Amino acid sequence: RTRKRVVALIADFVDGVVFRSQEDIISPERIVPGIEYIEGVAKHEDGLLLIHDLDKFLSLEEENALDCTLKSAPELLHEP
């Protein structure tokens, strides 16, 4: 859920769910400065986990395109 809408991410496959404590999460600025849509980074045995800030994930253009699509096709908007 973002401040504006409910968000669903479609996946072909989910291998599991990973839980990390706040202490395990590193600020993205320590790894790659300037990545605004990443909220945090955590180590995983297979590499790194990137924690996205969904409010910043879409660009302004993408956000506007999504808003226009939802307005023109209200049947696509399904809020619980």
Side-chain angles (χ1 to χ4, degrees), residues 27-36:
S27 168
E29 290 294 320
R30 290 180 51 199
I31 297 173
V32 181
I35 299 181
E36 297 176 5

Side-chain angles (χ1 to χ4, degrees), residues 2-5 7 54-70:
T2 69
R3 286 180 237 157
K4 290 185 175 184
R5 64 178 52 93
V7 177
L54 293 179
D55 284 316
K56 296 177 184 174
F57 191 70
L58 296 177
S59 70
L60 184 57
E61 282 182 4
E62 292 168 326
E63 188 79 32
N64 290 336
L66 181 58
D67 288 340
C68 287
T69 301
L70 292 173

Side-chain angles (χ1 to χ4, degrees), residues 12-13 15 26 32 52-53 56 58-59 61 68 71 78:
D12 291 332
F13 177 76
D15 194 21
I26 302 166
V32 181
H52 293 270
D53 180 339
K56 296 177 184 174
L58 296 177
S59 70
E61 282 182 4
C68 287
K71 286 177 186 171
H78 176 69

Side-chain angles (χ1 to χ4, degrees), residues 12-25:
D12 291 332
F13 177 76
V14 176
D15 194 21
V17 177
V18 177
F19 295 96
R20 293 289 183 260
S21 69
Q22 190 64 38
E23 295 83 34
D24 293 336
I25 299 172

